[in-house]
Amino acid sequence: MKDHILSPIFAASIFLSAFLLFQIQPIIAKVILPWFGGSPAVWTTVMLFFQVLLTGGYAYAYWLVGSVRIPHQSLTHSLLAVAAAALSLGLGMLWASPVTPPASMKPLEASSPIFEIFILLLMTVALPYFILAANGPLMQAWFSRLFPERSYARLYALSNTGSLLGLLTYPTLVEPYQSLKNQGWTWSIGFIVFSLLVIFIAIRNAGSNPPVQSASEGDSESSSPPATATKALWVALSATASLLLLSTTNQISQEVAVIPFLWILPLTLYLLSFILSFSSDAGYGRKRYLLLFALSVGLLIYVLFQMKSLHVFVQIFTYCVYLFSACMLCHGELYRLRPEARHLTAFYLMISIGGALGGLFASLIAPLLFNGYWEFVVALALALAVGLRVLQPSRTENHAEWARFMLTVFLLFTTAMSLFGRFSGALFAERNFFGVIRVAEVFPLRVPEPAYQMSHGTTVHGMQFINPALRNLPTTYYARESGGGLALLNHPRHGKGMKVGLFGLGVGTLAAYAQAGDEYRLYEINPSVIALAEGKGDYFTYLRQCKAKVTTVFGDARISLERELASGKPQNFDVLVLDTFSSDAIPVHLLTKEAFALYLKHLAPAGMIAVHISNLHLDLRPVVWQLAKFYGLGIASVSYPGDAKGGYPTDWLLLAPDPALLEIPAIRDHADRMAGYRTTVPLWSDDYSNLFQILK
């Protein structure tokens, strides 16, 4: 076949495989995010899985090109592509949507989230993703064999462009207009088209002979392989960029919000740095990116110390500039160290191994070593190490010395951060899949009394005074005149055997309102929070002192309620308190119309729902207002200014099927009925939600 026909088919195959490769990541992450409590770690775990599978795909391409005869290469890859396409269609017929797992696959409990996520992904997208991952390096190797006079670097840039568009089109063109079911079918159709392209190229590759090379080209191709030190440097630079990506994504998710757009944005910048670096020799300029990196680090340090006072967009901008400039240094240096075409698959394999190592460290090793997100500091130190080398161009030529320097910096800062976390002054600190929980002794503003405070990142999850005389005093967001306090104290069944459901345990403060004969059912997904609230360390005693019957249910609240309803056990709550939204990593699946339909089935006829919406960056008022309007619920807003007894300024929304409950004098006197409130934010459902719309 003529070059001008075959070349575009190669390009189409590489572009489409990269596009599909990065479309499936946000699709599958959004499907399973609610099953694991909406934790930011879901995204990093999904990314880790795909990084490991990417390495497997690159290793397969490396083996195929280096050890298998050309006709057999084509046959093997074609058969795997056909098998993956058939599997995708088969799952679609079985589940009503390909690649997206059905609700029946929800985990019974989130006791081993990383393992459970890996199993889900293995059962749904592993084989198609593996084929897509292998396609880029394999097609570029075949292209270099058939067209040795042409550079493969532009095909690599095209692959990253496809990846970039795959990411960018998801939040802008796919997510807003397609249900998750349709997204699965659209993706699978694209995969079938990709498989046809692969089969066509494989047939042409198996039946054609490459052009005869000149003697000089033959001499070049017979040159010795890259040194071990060079390969180690490929791994080190790739691992640094991967760690930068994941640690910055974690930082944004913990301090800003778990918004798919804010997951995609760092990955987009990471890929953009690849595209620019590998586009041409002019794509990466050492001096300009070194200067940008230095400026971004200065701005980053300022933001880290002024986090609570800076606008969310300033923080996002700073993290993004820092990540992009640091990745440009890593990927730009990788491009400068690129090998000749003969060693292309080895180069890609080392890059993918580095990416997987960075992901393994961020997702599996760091949580064991650190009781905070200190991998962000480790990544910053490694980026500075790269910057120092780039600042001295002569030293970048010694690959062995450079690789040893990177390893030394990594070990030094990993050890230092591990020790720092254990001597940081916290009385208790523990990190798990759901975040970092800390307990510290504090003196609240305007209160001359010490207290134990539980926090998750910058979000306070409760506080209890140490003074025995004040131990049962409700504090922080749960003071008597807060929305939660008003709902519990003034419900007609208060003191008459009231049944209360609570999403989000915190330190158990709301249990201070319980009376003898009441029943409190507490839903909490974080085992560290449960242990502390139930008395671990003797910091918090609200549950221990509670007069009611207390039942703690471990796991995601919505999944737990679904199972209770399916077993014929509606709870008939008099008051249902939703207190999972004060953190910026909010579980969106608890604010959809399907979720509220479930809550209403568990609510007593004269029941009330109290939603705590205090949030630093997100305005949840329009979301809850739309839900109240959809179900015809009465709604009232309660804003409490705080007090001198440990009560914080806080916002609550009270909802009731019977609006007369909101006219109880004690509630009416503190509430705004929101009569003139309007919003353009659409009703959220399991198929549609958009946190970006409600950023303050």
Side-chain angles (χ1 to χ4, degrees):
M1 179 175 288
K2 294 182 179 180
D3 292 0
H4 70 274
I5 298 178
L6 188 56
S7 293
I9 296 177
F10 266 106
S13 169
I14 288 173
F15 178 87
L16 186 56
S17 66
F19 182 89
L20 294 171
L21 203 67
F22 282 85
Q23 273 268 306
I24 195 59
Q25 295 189 32
I27 292 174
I28 198 73
K30 186 165 184 177
V31 172
I32 67 174
L33 180 65
W35 302 358
F36 299 92
S39 170
V42 172
W43 176 244
T44 53
T45 302
V46 168
M47 289 180 67
L48 171 62
F49 175 86
F50 287 131
Q51 282 179 319
V52 171
L53 209 56
L54 188 72
T55 302
Y58 281 16
Y60 158 75
Y62 177 76
W63 165 79
L64 202 63
V65 170
S67 305
V68 179
R69 295 174 57 193
I70 291 172
H72 294 164
Q73 292 178 23
S74 300
L75 178 62
T76 302
H77 198 57
S78 298
L79 289 176
L80 283 176
V82 170
L87 176 64
S88 179
L89 286 176
L91 291 178
M93 295 176 184
L94 182 65
W95 295 341
S97 177
V99 303
T100 55
S104 59
M105 293 182 70
K106 290 180 182 179
L108 294 176
E109 59 180 33
S111 55
S112 304
I114 293 177
F115 174 76
E116 290 165 355
I117 290 172
F118 269 50
I119 293 298
L120 279 170
L121 297 178
L122 278 170
M123 294 175 65
T124 53
V125 298
L127 183 57
Y129 193 92
F130 177 82
I131 300 303
L132 292 169
N135 192 69
L138 184 59
M139 290 297 155
Q140 290 172 57
W142 286 356
F143 181 86
S144 295
R145 170 182 169 270
L146 294 173
F147 309 110
E149 74 283 358
R150 300 189 187 181
S151 171
Y152 64 81
R154 290 188 180 276
L155 288 178
Y156 190 58
L158 178 65
S159 173
N160 283 295
T161 302
S163 302
L164 182 63
L165 289 177
L167 284 172
L168 291 179
T169 54
Y170 184 76
T172 56
L173 299 177
V174 177
E175 185 184 24
Y177 304 111
Q178 284 194 323
S179 67
L180 287 170
K181 176 182 177 181
N182 288 340
Q183 289 175 31
W185 277 110
T186 303
W187 188 90
S188 292
I189 291 170
F191 186 84
I192 292 170
V193 173
F194 155 77
S195 299
L196 294 174
L197 291 174
V198 166
I199 293 169
F200 185 84
I201 293 172
I203 292 172
R204 300 303 304 179
N205 180 63
S208 63
N209 295 314
V212 179
Q213 298 173 345
S214 66
S216 60
E217 287 173 334
D219 292 342
S220 175
E221 290 293 309
S222 63
S223 61
S224 59
T228 301
T230 302
K231 292 179 179 178
L233 196 50
W234 291 344
V235 172
L237 289 170
S238 177
T240 298
S242 175
L243 185 57
L244 282 163
L245 167 64
L246 292 174
S247 63
T248 305
T249 302
N250 266 338
Q251 187 76 3
I252 293 175
S253 296
Q254 293 295 328
E255 304 300 343
V256 182
V258 190
I259 303 174
F261 175 77
L262 295 183
W263 297 344
I264 291 171
L265 183 58
L267 187 53
T268 299
L269 295 172
Y270 173 86
L271 289 172
L272 183 60
S273 68
F274 257 124
I275 294 169
L276 293 176
S277 298
F278 281 77
S279 60
S280 66
D281 291 339
Y284 167 63
R286 275 180 163 177
K287 290 183 179 179
R288 64 174 180 268
Y289 283 109
L290 188 60
L291 177 60
L292 180 62
F293 175 67
L295 293 173
S296 70
V297 169
L299 185 59
L300 176 68
I301 293 171
Y302 172 76
V303 165
L304 291 175
F305 281 98
Q306 302 292 329
M307 195 175 298
K308 290 186 177 181
S309 62
L310 291 174
H311 193 281
V312 58
F313 290 120
V314 174
Q315 297 183 49
I316 293 172
F317 173 79
T318 301
Y319 287 128
C320 288
V321 173
Y322 155 71
L323 174 65
F324 174 70
S325 60
C327 285
M328 279 301 302
L329 291 181
C330 294
H331 294 150
E333 294 303 312
L334 270 175
Y335 179 75
R336 292 172 66 93
L337 294 167
R338 70 193 184 283
E340 55 200 23
R342 181 186 179 191
H343 306 294
L344 178 63
T345 53
F347 179 57
Y348 288 153
L349 179 59
M350 294 301 107
I351 290 177
S352 65
I353 288 174
L357 289 176
L360 286 168
F361 181 80
S363 299
L364 298 182
I365 299 173
L368 299 176
L369 294 178
F370 308 142
N371 56 15
Y373 288 98
W374 304 120
E375 64 267 27
F376 184 77
V377 179
V378 175
L380 174 60
L382 287 171
L384 289 170
V386 175
L388 286 173
R389 282 282 162 168
V390 174
L391 193 60
Q392 308 169 70
S394 60
R395 303 192 68 181
T396 61
E397 302 307 317
N398 190 329
H399 298 170
E401 182 187 339
W402 191 357
R404 286 194 298 270
F405 179 58
M406 296 287 289
L407 179 61
T408 302
V409 169
F410 170 74
L411 293 175
L412 178 64
F413 274 83
T414 297
T415 303
M417 290 300 100
S418 179
L419 294 174
F420 173 79
R422 283 153 178 74
F423 298 100
S424 60
L427 299 173
F428 173 90
E430 188 169 276
R431 176 177 175 177
N432 59 24
F433 182 82
F434 303 100
V436 177
I437 296 296
R438 287 190 174 86
V439 177
E441 184 175 329
V442 299
F443 280 86
L445 291 174
R446 300 185 289 174
V447 184
E449 290 281 351
Y452 293 130
Q453 177 178 283
M454 179 196 292
S455 60
H456 177 190
T458 60
T459 303
V460 174
H461 282 305
M463 177 182 73
Q464 187 173 21
F465 287 113
I466 298 174
N467 185 339
L470 302 174
R471 285 294 267 176
N472 211 38
L473 180 69
T475 61
T476 60
Y477 312 109
Y478 316 107
R480 289 179 174 273
E481 294 182 354
S482 69
L486 290 171
L488 293 171
L489 286 173
N490 297 284
H491 191 278
R493 290 193 57 80
H494 176 67
K496 301 176 183 178
M498 182 167 65
K499 187 166 186 180
V500 176
L502 174 61
F503 290 9
L505 178 55
V507 304
T509 311
L510 287 174
Y513 294 110
Q515 302 294 308
D518 289 348
E519 182 179 347
Y520 274 54
R521 192 169 181 84
L522 315 175
Y523 298 85
E524 175 58 54
I525 199 170
N526 192 327
S528 299
V529 171
I530 293 175
L532 287 167
E534 291 183 341
K536 181 177 182 178
D538 290 325
Y539 303 115
F540 307 108
T541 61
Y542 286 117
L543 294 188
R544 194 185 305 166
Q545 296 171 338
C546 183
K547 301 174 184 177
K549 175 187 175 182
V550 176
T551 303
T552 303
V553 180
F554 170 63
D556 178 77
R558 179 173 167 181
I559 294 176
S560 298
L561 286 182
E562 288 171 348
R563 293 197 180 114
E564 290 165 5
L565 191 64
S567 63
K569 298 177 181 178
Q571 295 299 323
N572 293 314
F573 293 121
D574 296 301
V575 178
L576 178 59
V577 181
L578 310 184
D579 184 31
T580 59
F581 311 119
S582 57
S583 168
D584 297 313
I586 72 165
V588 169
H589 66 293
L590 300 182
L591 284 173
T592 65
K593 67 178 183 180
E594 293 85 356
F596 266 67
L598 177 67
Y599 305 157
L600 293 173
K601 292 175 183 177
H602 281 280
L603 204 64
M608 184 185 301
I609 300 176
V611 187
H612 183 201
I613 62 167
S614 303
N615 195 285
L616 185 61
H617 298 308
L618 302 170
D619 180 13
L620 295 167
R621 195 177 308 270
V623 177
V624 181
W625 186 86
Q626 285 283 32
L627 290 163
K629 179 182 176 184
F630 183 80
Y631 286 107
L633 307 176
I635 183 169
S637 172
V638 178
S639 295
Y640 181 62
D643 57 37
K645 299 179 181 179
Y648 287 3
T650 182
D651 295 303
W652 290 75
L653 293 176
L654 305 181
L655 298 85
D658 181 3
L661 285 173
L662 305 179
E663 295 298 330
I664 294 171
I667 295 178
R668 183 186 60 213
D669 293 345
H670 293 86
D672 172 13
R673 291 302 300 271
M674 303 176 66
Y677 186 82
R678 297 291 182 272
T679 181
T680 58
V681 174
L683 178 71
W684 283 9
S685 69
D686 288 347
D687 262 348
Y688 176 84
S689 61
N690 194 331
L691 279 170
F692 195 69
Q693 292 177 331
I694 60 169
L695 281 174
K696 291 181 178 178

